[in-house]
Amino acid sequence: MQKYIKVLADYPDGGAAFSVEGYYLLALQRNLQILGAFAFLSNVKGKIFFRNYLVPAALSLDKLLNESMGVQFPVIRAFTV
């Protein structure tokens, strides 16, 4: 996230619309979307190559949910334990 903030600082008013919560929620949503896509592609479409990416994506989700804002999502956290 720090890299993202640094890039935004180079633009006039770049940080005006930025919020840490918004960034976190976007990262969480994208991670869930990625997990769904990999599961669908490997299990429904038979493209087993995508199974290789399920564990790293799940670990990424677990890392996000262990951040301070992750306590807002106890149901999702229960699936990562």
Side-chain angles (χ1 to χ4, degrees):
M1 180 168 38
Q2 295 302 323
K3 183 178 179 179
Y4 184 71
I5 293 170
K6 186 176 179 181
V7 169
L8 281 176
D10 292 337
Y11 293 93
D13 249 0
F18 178 80
S19 76
V20 173
E21 183 180 19
Y23 182 87
Y24 177 84
L25 293 173
L26 176 64
L28 183 62
Q29 185 272 335
R30 291 292 292 150
N31 197 274
L32 290 167
Q33 183 182 20
I34 288 166
L35 275 166
F38 291 162
F40 175 78
L41 289 167
S42 62
N43 294 325
V44 176
K45 293 293 186 177
K47 298 180 181 199
I48 59 172
F49 173 79
F50 286 97
R51 287 185 185 157
N52 297 328
Y53 298 104
L54 284 168
V55 170
L59 292 172
S60 178
L61 176 62
D62 186 59
K63 183 179 175 183
L64 276 170
L65 291 170
N66 282 311
E67 291 183 14
S68 60
M69 286 188 257
V71 298
Q72 300 175 63
F73 306 99
V75 175
I76 298 173
R77 288 183 67 155
F79 283 103
T80 64
V81 175

